[in-house]
Amino acid sequence: MFTGKPENFDDARLVARIRPAYEKAVASFPGYGASQWETLDGSKKDVHAALLGGRDDVATQILRDPASNELFLGFDLVGKERTARLRQDEGSATWEQNMIGAAIYRLSGAAGATRIENPEGVDHYPPPLLSSQQHMDELAKVLPFPVNFPNPYENEFGIEINGQVAQLRSVYAMYQAYKTVTVAGITGCKSVMEIGAGLGRSAYYSYMAGITNYSIIDIPLTCAAQAYFLGRVLGEEKVCLFGEEPKAGAVRILPPAAIGEAECDMTVNADSFTEMDRGVAEGYIDHALAKSKVLYSNNHEVNSFTVNEIIRSRRPDTMTMRNISPIRTGYIEEIAFIR
C-alpha cells in the first residue's frame, strides 16, 4: 500500500528556514571520514545543489516529494529507485510487508502489549494469533504516545493500520521511542540528544510522549530532511534549526559542530555509530561519557568496530546492560549507565 497525495500544506516558510540552516551546516561540517556516508551523500549532488543555491521551487519539490529523488538514501525507505521497484516487483512488496508485520509483532511483545510465544511450551496457553491491526490496537493501550503514522509524503510504502500507512522505519522508531522514554523515566533524564536520527521518526514519537527537550545531531543533508519532516508532523514552530535562537519545547536539529549546544542527560544512537568513521564515533561516545547520565545504543556489529569496544576502551568500569535487540534481528541493544 502506498500513500496518496497529501493534503495541501503551505511549506514556504519552513523551506525558507531550512535552506539557510543547511548552508550554515555545510560550512561547519568537518567531513565524513572513512565511512559510507561520503559515497551516499556524494550521490545526491543534485539535492545538495538545489538546497545550497538553487531555485526555491526545486528545493521545495525535493523536500516535499522524496519519492522523486534519493534524498533519503541511507537513512529512510522512501526514494525514487525503491518506489519504482516496489511498484514493479510484487515479490519485493510482499517481502517488505512481511517485514513490517513481523516488526509489529515483535514490538507488541517487547512492549508488553501481547504475550510472546514460547517454543518450549507450545501446549501451554499459546498466545492468540493476531493481525497487525490487532497488535496495534493492543499497543495503543500501553505505549506512551499516540499509535499513528504521520505520512506527509506521497508514495510511502507499508501496510494499512487505522487508515494510515505503517512503514517499517516507523515501527522501529516506535520501539526506540518506547525504550527512550522508559529509560529516561527510570533514570530521571529530562533531555535527550539523538545522534544520527534518520528522518526523525523516533524524535516525533518521543516528543509526543512528553520529551520536548530533544536535540538531534546529524550530517547536513539528513538535517534538512529531518527539519522538513518534523516541521510537517509536529508543526514548524516545534523545530529549531541551526543558526536559530533556541526556544523551549522545540526539537533542535544541529550539525556535528554544534553538539556542545545540545542538552543531553541521555544520548541515543540507533543503526549509526558502527556505520561511521571510527574516530567520529569515538568522539560522540566520548561526549556522551563526559556529558550524559545514560547512553542508549541499538547497533549492529558487522563492521570494523563495535559500540561495546569503544565504551570499554574509554570507561571499562561503566555499568552496561547488553542484550540482543528484540525489534531488529542482528542488532545489539546496550544501555550504559554513566553517572
Side-chain angles (χ1 to χ4, degrees):
M1 178 180 180
F2 288 91
T3 53
K5 194 173 184 63
E7 294 181 4
N8 289 334
F9 178 84
D10 184 1
D11 53 10
R13 288 179 302 177
L14 181 59
V15 175
R17 291 170 59 199
I18 291 171
R19 296 189 69 184
Y22 179 72
E23 182 177 357
K24 292 182 179 74
V26 169
S28 75
F29 187 55
Y32 302 92
S35 81
Q36 64 181 359
W37 286 102
E38 185 167 15
T39 300
L40 288 169
D41 278 5
S43 68
K44 308 173 187 179
K45 292 179 180 177
D46 57 332
V47 177
H48 170 75
L51 291 175
L52 199 59
R55 289 167 24 199
D56 286 344
D57 60 333
V58 176
T60 300
Q61 183 60 24
I62 285 171
L63 292 166
R64 187 185 288 170
D65 184 18
S68 68
N69 56 72
E70 298 297 349
L71 171 58
F72 290 6
L73 182 64
F75 63 86
D76 204 83
L77 301 179
V78 183
K80 184 176 181 179
E81 186 278 332
R82 186 181 185 85
T83 299
R85 184 175 74 251
L86 289 168
R87 287 196 175 280
Q88 296 166 9
D89 184 351
E90 184 178 348
S92 291
T94 300
W95 179 84
E96 184 136 334
Q97 289 176 322
N98 290 340
M99 286 281 289
I100 298 166
I104 290 172
Y105 168 77
R106 292 193 295 268
L107 171 62
S108 183
T114 55
R115 297 185 184 188
I116 63 170
E117 294 181 44
N118 179 3
E120 298 178 10
V122 293
D123 295 329
H124 303 284
Y125 306 107
L129 295 176
L130 302 178
S131 67
S132 292
Q133 177 66 64
Q134 289 172 316
H135 277 292
M136 277 296 173
D137 291 342
E138 295 303 311
L139 280 161
K141 301 173 185 177
V142 300
L143 290 178
F145 45 78
V147 175
N148 60 14
F149 299 91
N151 303 122
Y153 309 114
E154 188 176 7
N155 285 316
E156 190 168 358
F157 181 79
I159 64 174
E160 183 177 357
I161 298 290
N162 294 328
Q164 296 176 306
V165 174
Q167 198 233 67
L168 183 61
R169 294 280 178 154
S170 291
V171 181
Y172 290 162
M174 282 185 169
Y175 175 77
Q176 182 180 320
Y178 158 73
K179 202 61 177 280
T180 297
V181 172
T182 301
V183 174
I186 292 170
T187 57
C189 293
K190 304 300 183 184
S191 59
V192 171
M193 177 179 69
E194 184 177 2
I195 298 170
L199 189 58
R201 296 180 190 272
S202 292
Y204 165 76
Y205 290 119
S206 296
Y207 190 96
M208 297 301 291
I211 301 181
T212 57
N213 189 345
Y214 201 105
S215 300
I216 291 171
I217 305 294
D218 222 318
I219 54 182
L221 272 174
T222 312
C223 284
Q226 292 158 351
Y228 188 85
F229 173 74
L230 290 172
R232 289 289 305 271
V233 301
L234 288 177
E236 58 185 277
E237 74 284 356
K238 298 291 180 61
V239 295
C240 180
L241 309 186
F242 185 43
E244 297 180 345
E245 191 69 25
K247 59 181 180 179
V251 177
R252 300 197 70 190
I253 302 173
L254 303 168
I259 191 171
E261 299 180 24
E263 296 182 44
C264 56
D265 287 348
M266 181 176 181
T267 296
V268 175
N269 179 266
D271 199 18
S272 175
F273 275 157
T274 58
E275 296 184 349
M276 298 177 183
D277 176 270
R278 178 169 184 144
V280 173
E282 287 175 338
Y284 283 138
I285 292 173
D286 285 343
H287 184 89
L289 292 173
K291 301 292 185 181
S292 296
K293 297 179 181 179
V294 179
L295 168 61
Y296 168 49
S297 162
N298 194 349
N299 281 280
H300 62 71
E301 298 189 321
V302 299
N303 287 340
S304 61
F305 65 91
T306 71
V307 173
N308 187 257
E309 288 170 2
I310 295 176
I311 293 173
R312 285 191 289 110
S313 72
R314 263 54 181 171
R315 289 267 299 269
D317 60 339
T318 302
M319 296 289 291
T320 303
M321 293 180 62
R322 175 181 165 92
N323 57 269
I324 294 172
S325 172
I327 192 69
R328 294 191 75 173
T329 302
Y331 281 68
I332 292 292
E333 192 170 66
E334 292 169 290
I335 304 172
F337 299 95
I338 302 164
R339 57 181 54 80

